[in-house]
Amino acid sequence: MIFNLNNIIHKQDNTIYINKSELNSIHNELSDFSRSNKIIFLEQSEFFKLNSSFNHLNEKENIEELLNFSHSIDDTTEESVLIKFVNNIFIEAIKLEASDIHIESLENSGLVKFRVNGILTKEIELSSPTLKNTINRIKVISNLDISQTNFPQDGQSQVVLQGLKYDLRISIIPNFFGERVVIRLLLNSNKIPLIQDIGFNSDTLSKIKKQLNKDRGFILISGSTGSGKSTTLHSFLNYINSPGKNIITIEDPVEYKNEKLNQIQINPEINFTFYEALKRVLRQDPDIIMLGEIRDQKSAEIAIKSSLTGHLVLSTLHTNSAKESINRLLDLNVKPFLISSSLLCIISQKLVKILCEKCKVQLPTGDFKSKGCSNCNQTGFSSRKLVYEYFEPTELELEELLNNKTANIKESNELVKSLEKLVNSGYIENNNLNI
């Protein structure tokens, strides 16, 4: 609730004039507001300190200071201290470039973990009172019910750090000892990498751009969960977006908010599925459609049929190679002639963890392994790199695949070669060759 005091108070010389009707209006609104909300009157310095802590997250705190707070927050703790503690969890996650924050309930305590470069690391131990208050604070900022502890809840929120907005996707689920919270941190769309910065070589990049510039057809991106499919898709959409194109996305959930796109969030609870959304999107005169994921036969068939009627359609599958992707479409009972008529290319991708240069050692076998150090937060890995397979099938290859699901065509060549090169150069561990 915000009031504009310029409409209420006017000062001239040593006289203050007050708009009585506006003041009465504020009094009435505050009375209504106080019936369902707690109102606290603060001194000016306290108010600005609290407001800054809640909205801007400008303070740079380290993990040791978080640990000092983590065992001392109980029901008597000032609200501003709790706000600062939770905000600093977000700050630490952003500083570590974590993709997720996990808050786990144990029998007599709790844990906060950060997922960095795909690895979940233990960071902060919480006392039971601190755990309870931390989870309640997260529920408050995501507009969830703090009294509900025995039923799953999903919410959203947003934090701002040094001018950058981070969307928070929050999932809370009860477990044996209490509640478990997972928070996915998502940058806004202006931080999505450019298509040339994703990790494709120049030859593959030119092929991808050629396909993206077509006005119809079907482009698939495949990979396991956490392989960067959504980031790649949105990078493609940013590349082809222009004022003259109507781009509509159907997602579950909307991961990267982008005001230049028409983004639709599906809701299976009211039967607003990918299939139902896609049927209605076709009446919205789209040029380009992004379907977050192909999950069933209905959504697969309507997506492919849409690509045959003058639309460029981009989507994803949870498979590990191009050949598996085609097999999956066939398993979903998509007619082979629809696939052969629409498919432009399949990009199968994987994110591999790069060994930390500071603690990497060579084993007697010739392989490399890292021990973990302060530079890599004891994980042994410094970053992740994209490896991929670009598959643009010839008519013969596609015919073999569609007629014989076990056809022995040349596949995964680029991906395997990239992995082998990284292993031989000592950038990744040998076990990454399992794709």
Side-chain angles (χ1 to χ4, degrees), residues 116-117 119 352-362 367-385 422 425-429 432:
V116 181
N117 292 326
I119 301 172
V352 294
K353 297 184 282 288
I354 301 298
L355 294 170
C356 174
E357 288 292 333
K358 299 286 185 181
C359 59
K360 181 177 69 176
V361 294
Q362 190 168 14
D367 295 330
F368 290 84
K369 195 169 184 66
S370 51
K371 300 180 292 184
C373 63
S374 58
N375 183 65
C376 59
N377 199 31
Q378 306 302 325
T379 64
F381 303 98
S382 58
S383 61
R384 290 193 289 178
K385 179 179 175 61
L422 289 170
S425 302
Y427 286 110
I428 66 174
E429 290 181 342
N432 278 284

Side-chain angles (χ1 to χ4, degrees), residues 171-190:
S171 170
I172 302 178
I173 192 167
N175 68 6
F176 189 75
F177 294 118
E179 292 179 284
R180 192 177 195 283
V181 182
V182 174
I183 304 170
R184 171 64 57 90
L185 287 88
L186 298 165
L187 271 171
N188 274 9
S189 59
N190 59 350

Side-chain angles (χ1 to χ4, degrees), residues 7 20 66 68 72 139-140 153 229 274 288 362 372 418:
N7 297 331
K20 187 176 179 181
L66 277 175
N68 290 336
S72 59
K139 288 181 179 180
V140 168
Q153 298 189 76
K229 297 187 299 296
F274 279 116
I288 298 159
Q362 190 168 14
S418 298

Side-chain angles (χ1 to χ4, degrees), residues 101-123:
I101 303 168
H102 290 231
I103 302 174
E104 302 177 358
S105 296
L106 307 179
E107 187 171 6
N108 298 308
S109 61
L111 288 176
V112 177
K113 299 179 180 179
F114 301 113
R115 187 177 293 281
V116 181
N117 292 326
I119 301 172
L120 203 57
T121 57
K122 172 184 168 183
E123 293 290 349

Side-chain angles (χ1 to χ4, degrees), residues 195 199-212 236 345-347 386 388-392 414 418:
I195 190 171
F200 301 112
N201 64 40
S202 57
D203 181 52
T204 302
L205 186 60
S206 65
K207 292 177 182 177
I208 291 172
K209 287 181 176 180
K210 179 182 176 182
Q211 303 294 5
L212 290 172
F236 287 178
C345 66
I346 301 175
I347 300 163
L386 180 79
Y388 60 89
E389 168 201 9
Y390 176 82
F391 182 57
E392 187 180 325
E414 288 176 276
S418 298

